[in-house]
Structure formats: structure tokens, C-alpha cells
């Protein structure tokens, strides 16, 4: 909460099987727009998890 006693939504993270399908939904239905994308983050994700060859795509969107 801030000094006025109000709260604000900062961010939410979700894991999905098909980032492009979810991005389409968030864009067309909810009006969110991508502001950052990192595709094929194999090295970073493998290092973080210890699972060789594991990959991930990251898309950050901004609410309307």
C-alpha cells in the first residue's frame, strides 16, 4: 500500500505451453501490448535450472 492506503497491481508472471497463442489472446482480448521479447533463452534457463537443453521464451506486456 502507498501513503493513501491504495494498492496498485505491479506485475504477474505466468508459464504457458504456447507463448504466441497466449500473446494473441492478451493482445486482442485484453488490449495488452508486448514491450519486450526474449526468445530461445536456452543457455540462461539451462544454467538456472541445471537441465541441459531446456529453453524458454519470455514476453513482457504492458496493460492498456
Amino acid at each position: 500500500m502507498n501513503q493513501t492506503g491504495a494498492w496498485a497491481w505491479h506485475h504477474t508472471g505466468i508459464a504457458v505451453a504456447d507463448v504466441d497463442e497466449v500473446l494473441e489472446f492478451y493482445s486482442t482480448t485484453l488490449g495488452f501490448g508486448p514491450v519486450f521479447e526474449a526468445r530461445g533463452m536456452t543457455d540462461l534457463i539451462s544454467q538456472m535450472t541445471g537441465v541441459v537443453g531446456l529453453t524458454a521464451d519470455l514476453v513482457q506486456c504492458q496493460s492498456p
Side-chain angles (χ1 to χ4, degrees):
M1 283 198 191
N2 63 24
Q3 291 177 331
T4 64
W7 62 273
W9 167 53
H10 187 266
H11 71 277
T12 300
I14 59 173
V16 300
D18 187 337
V19 71
D20 292 313
E21 181 180 336
V22 173
L23 182 57
E24 176 71 19
F25 171 78
Y26 271 77
S27 296
T28 60
T29 306
L30 302 176
F32 283 59
V35 294
F36 175 79
E37 293 188 37
R39 303 290 183 129
M41 300 187 324
T42 305
D43 293 341
L44 177 61
I45 298 301
S46 290
Q47 183 181 30
M48 288 172 49
T49 63
V51 179
V52 176
L54 186 63
T55 189
D57 297 324
L58 170 68
V59 179
Q60 294 177 338
C61 294
Q62 184 173 1
S63 61

Short mmCIF file of all heavy atoms in Angstrom, two decimals:
data_model
loop_
_atom_site.label_atom_id
_atom_site.label_comp_id
_atom_site.label_asym_id
_atom_site.label_seq_id
_atom_site.Cartn_x
_atom_site.Cartn_y
_atom_site.Cartn_z
N MET A 1 0.83 -1.18 0.00
CA MET A 1 0.00 0.00 0.00
C MET A 1 0.88 1.25 0.00
O MET A 1 1.95 1.25 0.56
CB MET A 1 -0.90 0.03 1.23
CG MET A 1 -2.07 -0.89 1.15
SD MET A 1 -3.29 -0.37 2.37
CE MET A 1 -4.34 -1.77 2.28
N ASN A 2 0.33 2.31 -0.58
CA ASN A 2 1.05 3.57 -0.55
C ASN A 2 0.51 4.45 0.58
O ASN A 2 -0.30 4.00 1.38
CB ASN A 2 0.99 4.27 -1.90
CG ASN A 2 -0.43 4.65 -2.30
OD1 ASN A 2 -1.31 4.80 -1.47
ND2 ASN A 2 -0.65 4.79 -3.59
N GLN A 3 0.91 5.70 0.64
CA GLN A 3 0.51 6.58 1.74
C GLN A 3 -0.99 6.86 1.77
O GLN A 3 -1.53 7.21 2.81
CB GLN A 3 1.29 7.89 1.66
CG GLN A 3 2.76 7.69 1.97
CD GLN A 3 3.54 8.97 1.84
OE1 GLN A 3 3.20 9.85 1.07
NE2 GLN A 3 4.63 9.07 2.59
N THR A 4 -1.67 6.73 0.64
CA THR A 4 -3.11 6.98 0.61
C THR A 4 -3.92 5.76 1.00
O THR A 4 -5.13 5.82 1.11
CB THR A 4 -3.57 7.43 -0.80
OG1 THR A 4 -3.35 6.35 -1.71
CG2 THR A 4 -2.83 8.67 -1.25
N GLY A 5 -3.24 4.64 1.21
CA GLY A 5 -3.94 3.41 1.56
C GLY A 5 -4.41 2.62 0.35
O GLY A 5 -5.05 1.60 0.49
N ALA A 6 -4.09 3.11 -0.83
CA ALA A 6 -4.48 2.42 -2.06
C ALA A 6 -3.39 1.43 -2.46
O ALA A 6 -2.23 1.58 -2.10
CB ALA A 6 -4.71 3.43 -3.18
N TRP A 7 -3.77 0.42 -3.18
CA TRP A 7 -2.78 -0.53 -3.68
C TRP A 7 -2.79 -0.50 -5.20
O TRP A 7 -3.72 -0.02 -5.82
CB TRP A 7 -3.05 -1.95 -3.18
CG TRP A 7 -4.36 -2.50 -3.64
CD1 TRP A 7 -5.57 -2.35 -3.04
CD2 TRP A 7 -4.59 -3.28 -4.81
NE1 TRP A 7 -6.55 -2.99 -3.76
CE2 TRP A 7 -5.97 -3.57 -4.86
CE3 TRP A 7 -3.78 -3.75 -5.82
CZ2 TRP A 7 -6.55 -4.31 -5.88
CZ3 TRP A 7 -4.35 -4.50 -6.85
CH2 TRP A 7 -5.72 -4.77 -6.86
N ALA A 8 -1.73 -0.98 -5.80
CA ALA A 8 -1.61 -0.99 -7.25
C ALA A 8 -1.05 -2.33 -7.68
O ALA A 8 -0.20 -2.91 -7.01
CB ALA A 8 -0.70 0.13 -7.72
N TRP A 9 -1.53 -2.81 -8.79
CA TRP A 9 -1.03 -4.05 -9.38
C TRP A 9 0.28 -3.73 -10.08
O TRP A 9 0.37 -2.81 -10.87
CB TRP A 9 -2.08 -4.58 -10.35
CG TRP A 9 -1.63 -5.66 -11.25
CD1 TRP A 9 -1.03 -6.82 -10.89
CD2 TRP A 9 -1.77 -5.71 -12.67
NE1 TRP A 9 -0.78 -7.59 -11.99
CE2 TRP A 9 -1.22 -6.93 -13.10
CE3 TRP A 9 -2.29 -4.85 -13.61
CZ2 TRP A 9 -1.19 -7.31 -14.44
CZ3 TRP A 9 -2.26 -5.23 -14.93
CH2 TRP A 9 -1.72 -6.45 -15.33
N HIS A 10 1.32 -4.49 -9.77
CA HIS A 10 2.63 -4.23 -10.35
C HIS A 10 2.92 -5.15 -11.52
O HIS A 10 3.20 -4.71 -12.62
CB HIS A 10 3.73 -4.34 -9.29
CG HIS A 10 5.07 -3.93 -9.77
ND1 HIS A 10 5.99 -4.81 -10.28
CD2 HIS A 10 5.64 -2.72 -9.85
CE1 HIS A 10 7.07 -4.17 -10.66
NE2 HIS A 10 6.89 -2.89 -10.39
N HIS A 11 2.88 -6.47 -11.30
CA HIS A 11 3.13 -7.40 -12.39
C HIS A 11 2.65 -8.79 -12.01
O HIS A 11 2.44 -9.10 -10.84
CB HIS A 11 4.61 -7.43 -12.78
CG HIS A 11 5.50 -8.09 -11.78
ND1 HIS A 11 5.97 -7.42 -10.68
CD2 HIS A 11 5.99 -9.35 -11.69
CE1 HIS A 11 6.73 -8.24 -9.97
NE2 HIS A 11 6.75 -9.42 -10.56
N THR A 12 2.49 -9.61 -13.02
CA THR A 12 2.10 -11.01 -12.86
C THR A 12 2.94 -11.84 -13.82
O THR A 12 3.17 -11.43 -14.95
CB THR A 12 0.61 -11.21 -13.20
OG1 THR A 12 -0.17 -10.39 -12.33
CG2 THR A 12 0.19 -12.65 -13.05
N GLY A 13 3.38 -12.99 -13.39
CA GLY A 13 4.10 -13.90 -14.26
C GLY A 13 3.31 -15.19 -14.42
O GLY A 13 2.74 -15.70 -13.45
N ILE A 14 3.25 -15.70 -15.63
CA ILE A 14 2.59 -16.98 -15.87
C ILE A 14 3.47 -17.83 -16.79
O ILE A 14 4.22 -17.30 -17.60
CB ILE A 14 1.19 -16.81 -16.49
CG1 ILE A 14 1.24 -16.06 -17.83
CG2 ILE A 14 0.26 -16.10 -15.53
CD1 ILE A 14 -0.07 -16.01 -18.56
N ALA A 15 3.39 -19.12 -16.63
CA ALA A 15 4.10 -20.06 -17.50
C ALA A 15 3.07 -20.75 -18.38
O ALA A 15 2.05 -21.23 -17.87
CB ALA A 15 4.86 -21.09 -16.67
N VAL A 16 3.32 -20.79 -19.67
CA VAL A 16 2.38 -21.36 -20.63
C VAL A 16 3.11 -22.26 -21.62
O VAL A 16 4.32 -22.13 -21.81
CB VAL A 16 1.60 -20.26 -21.38
CG1 VAL A 16 0.81 -19.39 -20.42
CG2 VAL A 16 2.53 -19.41 -22.21
N ALA A 17 2.38 -23.13 -22.26
CA ALA A 17 2.97 -24.03 -23.25
C ALA A 17 3.20 -23.33 -24.59
O ALA A 17 4.14 -23.64 -25.31
CB ALA A 17 2.07 -25.25 -23.45
N ASP A 18 2.33 -22.39 -24.96
CA ASP A 18 2.42 -21.72 -26.25
C ASP A 18 2.34 -20.21 -26.05
O ASP A 18 1.25 -19.64 -25.96
CB ASP A 18 1.30 -22.20 -27.17
CG ASP A 18 1.41 -21.68 -28.59
OD1 ASP A 18 2.07 -20.63 -28.81
OD2 ASP A 18 0.84 -22.31 -29.49
N VAL A 19 3.49 -19.56 -25.98
CA VAL A 19 3.53 -18.13 -25.70
C VAL A 19 2.85 -17.31 -26.79
O VAL A 19 2.22 -16.30 -26.50
CB VAL A 19 4.98 -17.65 -25.43
CG1 VAL A 19 5.80 -17.66 -26.70
CG2 VAL A 19 4.99 -16.28 -24.79
N ASP A 20 2.93 -17.74 -28.03
CA ASP A 20 2.32 -16.98 -29.12
C ASP A 20 0.79 -17.02 -29.04
O ASP A 20 0.12 -16.02 -29.30
CB ASP A 20 2.80 -17.49 -30.48
CG ASP A 20 4.27 -17.18 -30.70
OD1 ASP A 20 4.67 -16.01 -30.45
OD2 ASP A 20 5.02 -18.07 -31.10
N GLU A 21 0.24 -18.16 -28.66
CA GLU A 21 -1.21 -18.27 -28.50
C GLU A 21 -1.71 -17.37 -27.37
O GLU A 21 -2.71 -16.66 -27.51
CB GLU A 21 -1.60 -19.72 -28.22
CG GLU A 21 -3.09 -19.94 -28.06
CD GLU A 21 -3.43 -21.39 -27.77
OE1 GLU A 21 -2.64 -22.30 -28.13
OE2 GLU A 21 -4.50 -21.63 -27.19
N VAL A 22 -1.00 -17.38 -26.27
CA VAL A 22 -1.39 -16.55 -25.13
C VAL A 22 -1.18 -15.07 -25.44
O VAL A 22 -2.01 -14.22 -25.08
CB VAL A 22 -0.61 -16.97 -23.86
CG1 VAL A 22 -0.87 -16.03 -22.71
CG2 VAL A 22 -0.97 -18.39 -23.49
N LEU A 23 -0.11 -14.73 -26.13
CA LEU A 23 0.13 -13.35 -26.54
C LEU A 23 -0.99 -12.84 -27.43
O LEU A 23 -1.45 -11.71 -27.28
CB LEU A 23 1.48 -13.23 -27.25
CG LEU A 23 1.91 -11.84 -27.68
CD1 LEU A 23 1.94 -10.88 -26.50
CD2 LEU A 23 3.26 -11.90 -28.36
N GLU A 24 -1.46 -13.66 -28.34
CA GLU A 24 -2.58 -13.30 -29.21
C GLU A 24 -3.82 -12.99 -28.38
O GLU A 24 -4.51 -11.99 -28.59
CB GLU A 24 -2.87 -14.44 -30.19
CG GLU A 24 -4.08 -14.20 -31.08
CD GLU A 24 -3.87 -13.12 -32.12
OE1 GLU A 24 -2.70 -12.79 -32.43
OE2 GLU A 24 -4.87 -12.61 -32.64
N PHE A 25 -4.12 -13.84 -27.39
CA PHE A 25 -5.28 -13.63 -26.52
C PHE A 25 -5.14 -12.33 -25.73
O PHE A 25 -6.05 -11.50 -25.69
CB PHE A 25 -5.46 -14.80 -25.56
CG PHE A 25 -6.49 -14.55 -24.49
CD1 PHE A 25 -7.84 -14.65 -24.78
CD2 PHE A 25 -6.11 -14.19 -23.21
CE1 PHE A 25 -8.79 -14.39 -23.80
CE2 PHE A 25 -7.05 -13.94 -22.22
CZ PHE A 25 -8.40 -14.04 -22.52
N TYR A 26 -3.99 -12.14 -25.08
CA TYR A 26 -3.79 -10.95 -24.26
C TYR A 26 -3.84 -9.68 -25.11
O TYR A 26 -4.32 -8.64 -24.66
CB TYR A 26 -2.47 -11.03 -23.50
CG TYR A 26 -2.61 -11.70 -22.16
CD1 TYR A 26 -2.72 -13.09 -22.05
CD2 TYR A 26 -2.65 -10.96 -20.99
CE1 TYR A 26 -2.87 -13.71 -20.83
CE2 TYR A 26 -2.80 -11.56 -19.76
CZ TYR A 26 -2.91 -12.94 -19.69
OH TYR A 26 -3.05 -13.56 -18.47
N SER A 27 -3.35 -9.76 -26.34
CA SER A 27 -3.34 -8.58 -27.22
C SER A 27 -4.74 -8.25 -27.73
O SER A 27 -5.20 -7.12 -27.60
CB SER A 27 -2.41 -8.82 -28.41
OG SER A 27 -1.09 -8.97 -27.98
N THR A 28 -5.41 -9.24 -28.32
CA THR A 28 -6.69 -8.97 -28.96
C THR A 28 -7.84 -8.86 -27.96
O THR A 28 -8.74 -8.03 -28.15
CB THR A 28 -7.04 -10.04 -30.00
OG1 THR A 28 -7.10 -11.32 -29.37
CG2 THR A 28 -6.02 -10.08 -31.12
N THR A 29 -7.83 -9.64 -26.92
CA THR A 29 -8.95 -9.65 -25.98
C THR A 29 -8.79 -8.63 -24.86
O THR A 29 -9.76 -7.97 -24.48
CB THR A 29 -9.12 -11.06 -25.36
OG1 THR A 29 -9.23 -12.01 -26.42
CG2 THR A 29 -10.35 -11.14 -24.48
N LEU A 30 -7.58 -8.50 -24.34
CA LEU A 30 -7.37 -7.64 -23.17
C LEU A 30 -6.66 -6.33 -23.49
O LEU A 30 -6.55 -5.47 -22.63
CB LEU A 30 -6.58 -8.42 -22.10
CG LEU A 30 -7.24 -9.72 -21.63
CD1 LEU A 30 -6.32 -10.44 -20.65
CD2 LEU A 30 -8.60 -9.46 -21.01
N GLY A 31 -6.15 -6.20 -24.71
CA GLY A 31 -5.50 -4.96 -25.11
C GLY A 31 -4.07 -4.79 -24.64
O GLY A 31 -3.51 -3.70 -24.72
N PHE A 32 -3.45 -5.85 -24.13
CA PHE A 32 -2.06 -5.77 -23.70
C PHE A 32 -1.15 -5.71 -24.92
O PHE A 32 -1.44 -6.32 -25.94
CB PHE A 32 -1.68 -7.00 -22.87
CG PHE A 32 -2.18 -6.98 -21.46
CD1 PHE A 32 -3.54 -6.88 -21.17
CD2 PHE A 32 -1.30 -7.05 -20.40
CE1 PHE A 32 -4.00 -6.87 -19.87
CE2 PHE A 32 -1.75 -7.04 -19.08
CZ PHE A 32 -3.10 -6.95 -18.82
N GLY A 33 -0.04 -5.02 -24.80
CA GLY A 33 0.92 -4.94 -25.90
C GLY A 33 2.30 -5.36 -25.44
O GLY A 33 2.74 -4.98 -24.36
N PRO A 34 2.99 -6.14 -26.26
CA PRO A 34 4.35 -6.56 -25.89
C PRO A 34 5.31 -5.37 -25.87
O PRO A 34 5.26 -4.51 -26.73
CB PRO A 34 4.73 -7.57 -26.97
CG PRO A 34 3.82 -7.29 -28.11
CD PRO A 34 2.58 -6.67 -27.55
N VAL A 35 6.17 -5.34 -24.85
CA VAL A 35 7.18 -4.29 -24.75
C VAL A 35 8.60 -4.88 -24.74
O VAL A 35 9.57 -4.15 -24.91
CB VAL A 35 6.98 -3.40 -23.50
CG1 VAL A 35 5.69 -2.59 -23.62
CG2 VAL A 35 6.97 -4.22 -22.22
N PHE A 36 8.69 -6.18 -24.54
CA PHE A 36 9.99 -6.85 -24.52
C PHE A 36 9.80 -8.31 -24.86
O PHE A 36 8.86 -8.94 -24.37
CB PHE A 36 10.65 -6.72 -23.15
CG PHE A 36 11.94 -7.49 -23.02
CD1 PHE A 36 13.11 -6.99 -23.55
CD2 PHE A 36 11.97 -8.73 -22.39
CE1 PHE A 36 14.30 -7.71 -23.44
CE2 PHE A 36 13.15 -9.44 -22.28
CZ PHE A 36 14.31 -8.93 -22.81
N GLU A 37 10.65 -8.86 -25.70
CA GLU A 37 10.62 -10.29 -26.01
C GLU A 37 12.03 -10.84 -26.02
O GLU A 37 12.95 -10.21 -26.53
CB GLU A 37 9.99 -10.54 -27.39
CG GLU A 37 8.53 -10.20 -27.46
CD GLU A 37 7.88 -10.63 -28.77
OE1 GLU A 37 8.26 -11.70 -29.30
OE2 GLU A 37 7.02 -9.89 -29.26
N ALA A 38 12.20 -12.01 -25.44
CA ALA A 38 13.47 -12.75 -25.48
C ALA A 38 13.09 -14.20 -25.82
O ALA A 38 12.50 -14.90 -24.99
CB ALA A 38 14.20 -12.67 -24.17
N ARG A 39 13.41 -14.62 -27.00
CA ARG A 39 13.04 -15.95 -27.47
C ARG A 39 14.26 -16.89 -27.41
O ARG A 39 15.39 -16.48 -27.63
CB ARG A 39 12.51 -15.89 -28.91
CG ARG A 39 11.32 -14.96 -29.12
CD ARG A 39 10.08 -15.53 -28.48
NE ARG A 39 8.91 -14.70 -28.71
CZ ARG A 39 7.77 -15.16 -29.17
NH1 ARG A 39 7.61 -16.43 -29.45
NH2 ARG A 39 6.75 -14.34 -29.34
N GLY A 40 13.98 -18.15 -27.13
CA GLY A 40 15.03 -19.17 -27.15
C GLY A 40 16.12 -18.97 -26.12
O GLY A 40 17.30 -19.08 -26.42
N MET A 41 15.74 -18.72 -24.89
CA MET A 41 16.72 -18.48 -23.82
C MET A 41 17.25 -19.80 -23.27
O MET A 41 17.13 -20.09 -22.09
CB MET A 41 16.09 -17.64 -22.71
CG MET A 41 15.60 -16.30 -23.15
SD MET A 41 15.01 -15.21 -21.83
CE MET A 41 14.23 -16.28 -20.68
N THR A 42 17.89 -20.58 -24.10
CA THR A 42 18.36 -21.90 -23.70
C THR A 42 19.50 -21.84 -22.70
O THR A 42 19.45 -22.51 -21.67
CB THR A 42 18.79 -22.71 -24.94
OG1 THR A 42 17.69 -22.75 -25.86
CG2 THR A 42 19.19 -24.12 -24.56
N ASP A 43 20.53 -21.07 -22.98
CA ASP A 43 21.70 -21.03 -22.10
C ASP A 43 21.33 -20.56 -20.69
O ASP A 43 21.70 -21.18 -19.69
CB ASP A 43 22.79 -20.12 -22.67
CG ASP A 43 23.41 -20.68 -23.94
OD1 ASP A 43 23.27 -21.90 -24.18
OD2 ASP A 43 24.03 -19.90 -24.68
N LEU A 44 20.58 -19.46 -20.61
CA LEU A 44 20.21 -18.90 -19.31
C LEU A 44 19.31 -19.86 -18.53
O LEU A 44 19.54 -20.12 -17.35
CB LEU A 44 19.50 -17.56 -19.48
CG LEU A 44 19.00 -16.89 -18.21
CD1 LEU A 44 20.15 -16.59 -17.27
CD2 LEU A 44 18.22 -15.63 -18.54
N ILE A 45 18.29 -20.40 -19.17
CA ILE A 45 17.35 -21.30 -18.49
C ILE A 45 18.04 -22.59 -18.08
O ILE A 45 17.82 -23.10 -16.97
CB ILE A 45 16.12 -21.58 -19.38
CG1 ILE A 45 15.36 -20.28 -19.66
CG2 ILE A 45 15.21 -22.63 -18.76
CD1 ILE A 45 14.86 -19.55 -18.42
N SER A 46 18.87 -23.13 -18.93
CA SER A 46 19.62 -24.35 -18.57
C SER A 46 20.52 -24.11 -17.37
O SER A 46 20.62 -24.94 -16.47
CB SER A 46 20.47 -24.82 -19.76
OG SER A 46 19.65 -25.32 -20.78
N GLN A 47 21.19 -22.96 -17.36
CA GLN A 47 22.07 -22.63 -16.24
C GLN A 47 21.28 -22.45 -14.95
O GLN A 47 21.70 -22.91 -13.88
CB GLN A 47 22.83 -21.35 -16.57
CG GLN A 47 23.84 -20.95 -15.52
CD GLN A 47 24.55 -19.65 -15.87
OE1 GLN A 47 23.98 -18.79 -16.54
NE2 GLN A 47 25.78 -19.52 -15.43
N MET A 48 20.13 -21.80 -15.02
CA MET A 48 19.32 -21.55 -13.83
C MET A 48 18.72 -22.83 -13.25
O MET A 48 18.61 -22.97 -12.04
CB MET A 48 18.19 -20.57 -14.15
CG MET A 48 18.66 -19.15 -14.36
SD MET A 48 17.38 -18.02 -14.98
CE MET A 48 16.01 -18.32 -13.89
N THR A 49 18.32 -23.75 -14.14
CA THR A 49 17.62 -24.96 -13.69
C THR A 49 18.51 -26.18 -13.56
O THR A 49 18.14 -27.15 -12.91
CB THR A 49 16.47 -25.30 -14.64
OG1 THR A 49 17.02 -25.60 -15.95
CG2 THR A 49 15.47 -24.17 -14.74
N GLY A 50 19.65 -26.16 -14.27
CA GLY A 50 20.51 -27.33 -14.29
C GLY A 50 20.05 -28.39 -15.27
O GLY A 50 20.59 -29.49 -15.30
N VAL A 51 19.05 -28.07 -16.10
CA VAL A 51 18.53 -29.00 -17.09
C VAL A 51 19.12 -28.63 -18.45
O VAL A 51 18.77 -27.60 -19.03
CB VAL A 51 16.99 -28.97 -17.16
CG1 VAL A 51 16.47 -29.93 -18.22
CG2 VAL A 51 16.38 -29.28 -15.80
N VAL A 52 20.04 -29.47 -18.95
CA VAL A 52 20.71 -29.20 -20.21
C VAL A 52 19.70 -29.19 -21.35
O VAL A 52 18.87 -30.07 -21.47
CB VAL A 52 21.81 -30.26 -20.47
CG1 VAL A 52 22.46 -30.03 -21.83
CG2 VAL A 52 22.85 -30.22 -19.36
N GLY A 53 19.77 -28.14 -22.18
CA GLY A 53 18.91 -28.05 -23.35
C GLY A 53 17.52 -27.47 -23.11
O GLY A 53 16.76 -27.28 -24.04
N LEU A 54 17.18 -27.18 -21.87
CA LEU A 54 15.88 -26.59 -21.57
C LEU A 54 15.85 -25.18 -22.15
O LEU A 54 16.83 -24.45 -22.08
CB LEU A 54 15.66 -26.53 -20.06
CG LEU A 54 14.28 -26.07 -19.59
CD1 LEU A 54 13.19 -27.03 -20.05
CD2 LEU A 54 14.27 -25.95 -18.07
N THR A 55 14.75 -24.79 -22.73
CA THR A 55 14.64 -23.47 -23.35
C THR A 55 13.36 -22.78 -22.89
O THR A 55 12.45 -23.43 -22.39
CB THR A 55 14.68 -23.58 -24.89
OG1 THR A 55 14.78 -22.27 -25.44
CG2 THR A 55 13.44 -24.27 -25.43
N ALA A 56 13.34 -21.46 -23.07
CA ALA A 56 12.15 -20.68 -22.71
C ALA A 56 12.07 -19.43 -23.56
O ALA A 56 13.09 -18.93 -24.05
CB ALA A 56 12.20 -20.29 -21.23
N ASP A 57 10.86 -18.96 -23.76
CA ASP A 57 10.60 -17.68 -24.40
C ASP A 57 9.99 -16.77 -23.35
O ASP A 57 9.15 -17.19 -22.57
CB ASP A 57 9.62 -17.84 -25.56
CG ASP A 57 10.15 -18.73 -26.67
OD1 ASP A 57 11.36 -18.68 -26.94
OD2 ASP A 57 9.35 -19.45 -27.29
N LEU A 58 10.40 -15.52 -23.35
CA LEU A 58 9.88 -14.55 -22.40
C LEU A 58 9.27 -13.39 -23.18
O LEU A 58 9.89 -12.86 -24.11
CB LEU A 58 11.02 -14.00 -21.53
CG LEU A 58 10.69 -12.80 -20.65
CD1 LEU A 58 9.71 -13.20 -19.55
CD2 LEU A 58 11.95 -12.23 -20.05
N VAL A 59 8.04 -13.04 -22.82
CA VAL A 59 7.39 -11.86 -23.40
C VAL A 59 6.82 -11.04 -22.26
O VAL A 59 6.09 -11.56 -21.42
CB VAL A 59 6.26 -12.25 -24.38
CG1 VAL A 59 5.58 -11.00 -24.93
CG2 VAL A 59 6.78 -13.12 -25.52
N GLN A 60 7.20 -9.79 -22.20
CA GLN A 60 6.65 -8.87 -21.21
C GLN A 60 5.69 -7.93 -21.92
O GLN A 60 6.03 -7.36 -22.97
CB GLN A 60 7.75 -8.06 -20.53
CG GLN A 60 8.66 -8.91 -19.69
CD GLN A 60 9.80 -8.12 -19.08
OE1 GLN A 60 10.16 -7.05 -19.55
NE2 GLN A 60 10.38 -8.66 -18.02
N CYS A 61 4.50 -7.78 -21.35
CA CYS A 61 3.47 -6.93 -21.95
C CYS A 61 3.09 -5.82 -21.00
O CYS A 61 3.26 -5.92 -19.78
CB CYS A 61 2.22 -7.76 -22.26
SG CYS A 61 2.48 -9.00 -23.52
N GLN A 62 2.55 -4.76 -21.58
CA GLN A 62 2.08 -3.63 -20.79
C GLN A 62 0.56 -3.59 -20.90
O GLN A 62 0.00 -3.76 -21.98
CB GLN A 62 2.67 -2.34 -21.32
CG GLN A 62 2.32 -1.12 -20.51
CD GLN A 62 3.07 0.10 -20.99
OE1 GLN A 62 3.84 0.05 -21.94
NE2 GLN A 62 2.88 1.21 -20.32
N SER A 63 -0.09 -3.34 -19.78
CA SER A 63 -1.54 -3.24 -19.79
C SER A 63 -1.96 -1.92 -20.44
O SER A 63 -1.20 -0.95 -20.43
CB SER A 63 -2.10 -3.34 -18.37
OG SER A 63 -1.61 -2.29 -17.58
N PRO A 64 -3.16 -1.90 -21.01
CA PRO A 64 -3.62 -0.67 -21.68
C PRO A 64 -3.89 0.46 -20.68
O PRO A 64 -4.05 0.25 -19.52
CB PRO A 64 -4.91 -1.10 -22.36
CG PRO A 64 -5.33 -2.37 -21.71
CD PRO A 64 -4.13 -2.97 -21.08
#
